[in-house]
Amino acid sequence: MTIAVLLKQVPDTTSKISVSGGRVDESAVSKWSMSPYDEYALESALQLKESGGGDVVAITCGPARAAKMLTDAAAVGADSLLHVLVEDLNALDSTQVQAILAAAVSHCSAQVVFCGKQAADTNAGSTGPGVAHLMGASCVTMVSEVASEGDSFTAMRASSGGDQRVAVSAPCLFAFDKGTTELRRPNVRGIMMAKKKVAETLGASDLGVDTSASSVSVDSHSPPPEKPPGQRFEGVDSVAVVVSKLRDEANVI
Amino acid sequence: MDVTVIAESSENGLHPVTAQLVGAAVAIGGAPTVLCAGGWGVEDAVSISGVAKVISVVGDCFGSFDGGAWAEALSSASGGDVIIAAATPAGREIAATIAAIRGIPIVQDVTGLAPGISVTRPIYSGKAIESSTVGTPCAITVRANAFDAAGEDGSAEVSTVNQSADVAVAVREAIAKASERLDVAEADIIISGGRGMGDPANFSHLEEIADIIGAAVGASRAAVDTWDEIPHGMQVGQTGKTVTPSLYIAVGISGAIQHLAGMRTSKYIVAINKDPDAPIFGVADYGIVATWEDALPALKAELGKL
Ligand SMILES: Cc1cc2nc3c(=O)[nH]c(=O)nc-3n(C[C@H](O)[C@H](O)[C@H](O)COP(=O)(O)OP(=O)(O)OC[C@H]3O[C@@H](n4cnc5c(N)ncnc54)[C@H](O)[C@@H]3O)c2cc1C
Ligand SMILES: Nc1ncnc2c1ncn2[C@@H]1O[C@H](COP(=O)(O)O)[C@@H](O)[C@H]1O
């Protein structure tokens, strides 16, 4: 069994995002990391491999800098790496990203895909369901845990009514929420081995995906609107004042 | 402009965000058709102002949630240049799958819409705002509380279509919620506690206040990670839930950037923290520098008087 894990490199959650000339200035991002939910997808894929066998292929679509993230994935145990080189992801719309990733999954002959429930840059949550549809796979989102029995899988997912254990069979895709799993850290041996691992690198056109005609065009980026400075109060006596303001000024209670 | 709104509804009826979805549809010049999955919420959907018609989509697949199957059933019932759903986990999945079925783009979590179609949405967890132009047909999900709700004087006609799809996700076990408390993702008022609460037992003070004002209780990641009693479902932030309630009360929460990512677009923010330099005060509309031990009993008493 091959498990494909979709990993996106994003600005680290601690990085400042600055805008210049109407665009987010990527060159000013201090640190690039694996998108947080993708880390849980990778960890769960590695655990599934350890319990049920198979191999884990880490797939990313992104610019050259994303190679570092694939090496990080190899350092914790990803068996093979596929990098679809696309210099400007912002120029692609959701259908194009999904077409590339679905083609990449099929290129790796994977029937099982793990990804994040949403990426930390787009905050969208479109890719998992979209890729699942293109693969003809069942899709489970908000997943915290996956176990396998042969070709069938059970997953824990969160829903508004509480958690549910659900069953699906391959082909299937799981989009991960945070879960309670502890993330592994690479050890020295892992880091050394990862340095020797070479990623397969392809272009979108090698996968037969046309990246020219995006139907979403970004007009501009801007910093978030400044909030007017709030009102500050000291001490317990101010609680009554704030409550009356919430009622009369803000009208929220 | 032919706009289809996918109602946010469940066995419990129509979720109020649906009227905001209609408000968003009207903002791009549409009198929308509202689809009610499983027939839920039809009675309330017909009275939303501006709705052209309501379609009750009924079929076996709506017995349990399989976003792929729901999307297939709803997609065949929807027409349209634009499909609008709520940016909830289910809404996002259904809309993304319909978009994939139709081969059209999707823009999620939109906070502004104008004819054209121009969309604005927060990216990087609200650290920047993106404005883009999207061709039709397209799918859009809309963030709660970003659009004014349409009124309630509509009287749309209802039709019912039988439309099911193969269900591939089988529910084996439903694990009862740890508590019957309101979920932060659903609530219009949230009171959250952080590590500053000192002990998970002290969250009972937050619960008492929540009960008075009909709020959900949330938590910071430090609270969730430190204390087993505080489940992950309560976590607000970058790796928890993104919330946009009318009122967010942060108690004993420092205001780390990853926490702010999940709540900074709340309409009003109150912070209670003993440290006057806590970053949470930077986003608070009303900041109270006090310990929770002092402030919460006073807050409870004041809210009780309302
Ligand atoms: C990748 C990543 C993702 C993350 N995702 C999230 C996320 O989704 N959500 C999230 O919340 N965090 C997240 N974090 C963690 C975040 O960085 C902070 O560590 C966390 O938010 C801190 O929680 P806290 O404010 O409760 O605790 P602390 O930072 O310890 O703050 C406690 C606060 O309580 C105050 N206090 C103490 N005693 C009292 C008292 N008696 N009365 C009143 N105030 C008191 C203190 O002054 C202090 O400000 C993430 C981190 C990373 C690296
Ligand atoms: N360019 C990409 N390369 C690899 N994986 C991606 C990419 N974009 C999205 N994904 C995966 O899809 C998930 C959801 O992304 P999004 O739909 O952008 O919120 C991410 O958490 C990743 O697992």
Side-chain angles (χ1 to χ4, degrees):
Chain A
M1 177 177 66
T2 300
I3 308 168
V5 192
L6 308 182
L7 303 173
K8 186 170 188 187
Q9 193 191 39
V10 298
D12 190 80
T13 57
T14 55
S15 294
K16 231 179 109 179
I17 298 295
S18 53
V19 176
S20 78
R23 282 287 186 281
V24 165
D25 183 3
E26 292 199 344
S27 67
V29 169
S30 54
K31 186 179 173 200
W32 293 88
S33 303
M34 192 181 294
S35 190
Y37 299 114
D38 303 3
E39 295 189 274
Y40 290 95
L42 175 60
E43 175 62 40
S44 302
L46 294 170
Q47 289 181 10
L48 191 63
K49 165 185 132 173
E50 283 157 4
S51 67
D55 52 23
V56 171
V57 49
I59 299 175
T60 196
C61 169
R65 62 166 150 69
K68 156 91 174 60
M69 178 196 63
L70 286 182
T71 307
D72 294 344
V76 289
D79 300 287
S80 53
L81 313 172
L82 174 58
H83 189 167
V84 185
L85 204 56
V86 167
E87 272 316 316
D88 185 10
L89 278 177
N90 289 318
L92 304 184
D93 68 26
S94 58
T95 59
Q96 294 168 320
V97 172
Q98 292 164 18
I100 290 171
L101 292 172
V105 168
S106 137
H107 178 81
C108 302
S109 310
Q111 296 281 302
V112 183
V113 178
F114 283 26
C115 68
K117 72 164 182 181
Q118 53 188 213
D121 51 358
T122 65
N123 306 135
S126 306
T127 309
V131 169
H133 176 75
L134 296 175
M135 296 169 56
S138 328
C139 176
V140 188
T141 59
M142 306 295 289
V143 171
S144 55
E145 239 175 79
V146 173
S148 71
E149 311 145 13
D151 256 359
S152 54
F153 297 82
T154 58
M156 282 296 284
R157 72 169 178 196
S159 80
S160 51
D163 289 349
Q164 292 179 336
R165 188 178 299 280
V166 299
V168 291
S169 32
C172 50
L173 178 144
F174 301 97
F176 275 77
D177 195 357
K178 174 176 167 261
T180 49
T181 328
E182 192 79 37
L183 298 174
R184 69 191 67 193
R185 298 286 159 219
N187 56 29
V188 177
R189 185 165 167 273
I191 293 169
M192 296 308 290
M193 300 275 284
K195 282 192 178 140
K196 292 194 214 119
K197 201 155 276 176
V198 181
E200 180 181 2
T201 305
L202 297 173
S205 57
D206 298 326
L207 293 167
V209 180
D210 175 15
T211 50
S212 55
S214 166
S215 47
V216 179
S217 60
V218 175
D219 301 321
S220 69
H221 291 148
S222 52
E226 283 287 335
K227 253 190 132 164
Q231 304 174 37
R232 182 78 79 96
F233 305 89
E234 301 269 338
V236 60
D237 295 341
S238 63
V239 171
V241 180
V242 170
V243 168
S244 69
K245 281 175 179 285
L246 287 174
R247 190 187 54 204
D248 304 327
E249 206 172 79
N251 283 313
V252 284
I253 49 174
Chain B
M1 180 82 57
D2 183 358
V3 183
T4 300
V5 163
I6 301 193
E8 183 75 12
S9 62
S10 67
E11 305 91 273
N12 307 327
L14 198 70
H15 192 282
V17 76
T18 308
Q20 298 170 18
L21 304 181
V22 174
V26 172
I28 48 169
T33 299
V34 176
L35 302 189
C36 293
W40 296 309
V42 167
E43 307 75 23
D44 290 327
V46 292
S47 59
I48 300 175
S49 316
V51 172
K53 58 180 186 229
V54 175
I55 302 179
S56 169
V57 185
V58 293
D60 292 343
C61 67
F62 297 109
S64 63
F65 187 68
D66 174 348
W70 287 34
E72 210 178 304
L74 292 169
S75 178
S76 20
S78 62
D81 302 316
V82 183
I83 293 167
I84 298 181
T88 54
R92 286 175 195 243
E93 181 179 350
I94 292 167
T97 311
I98 293 178
I101 290 171
R102 300 195 164 189
I104 61 178
I106 177 159
V107 185
Q108 303 265 17
D109 206 20
V110 163
T111 52
L113 270 177
I117 293 174
S118 302
V119 303
T120 50
R121 61 183 228 96
I123 51 173
Y124 302 100
S125 305
K127 292 183 200 169
I129 307 293
E130 181 171 272
S131 304
S132 43
T133 307
V134 186
T136 52
C138 65
I140 284 168
T141 63
V142 167
R143 180 176 281 209
N145 290 330
F147 291 84
D148 289 336
E152 293 173 4
D153 62 357
S155 54
E157 50 172 292
V158 183
S159 57
T160 301
V161 300
N162 280 284
Q163 184 67 59
S164 197
D166 290 341
V167 171
V169 179
V171 177
R172 285 286 164 76
E173 187 187 358
I175 292 134
K177 273 207 257 191
S179 77
E180 274 314 300
R181 307 203 68 85
L182 195 58
D183 191 284
V184 288
E186 312 267 316
D188 198 44
I189 303 182
I190 297 169
I191 180 163
S192 289
R195 183 153 41 200
M197 294 304 292
D199 188 290
N202 292 330
F203 273 65
S204 64
H205 298 281
L206 303 175
E207 287 167 5
E208 286 168 18
I209 290 170
D211 289 341
I212 298 174
I213 50 177
V217 179
S220 71
R221 174 153 162 187
V224 169
D225 285 355
T226 314
W227 300 311
D228 291 341
E229 294 86 343
I230 312 292
H232 171 239
M234 285 170 64
Q235 184 183 319
V236 172
Q238 179 97 45
T239 43
K241 289 174 179 152
T242 300
V243 297
T244 51
S246 314
L247 174 61
Y248 187 90
I249 307 174
V251 187
I253 293 179
S254 58
I257 193 155
Q258 298 93 350
H259 190 79
L260 301 185
M263 48 62 77
R264 70 182 311 152
T265 49
S266 303
K267 205 156 177 190
Y268 285 94
I269 297 170
V270 171
I272 298 173
N273 197 304
K274 68 176 183 186
D275 172 9
D277 297 323
I280 190 77
F281 288 123
V283 299
D285 299 279
Y286 304 104
I288 300 174
V289 183
T291 64
W292 65 262
E293 289 91 335
D294 285 343
L296 290 185
L299 184 60
K300 187 178 159 199
E302 288 300 323
L303 291 170
K305 287 188 211 157
L306 292 178

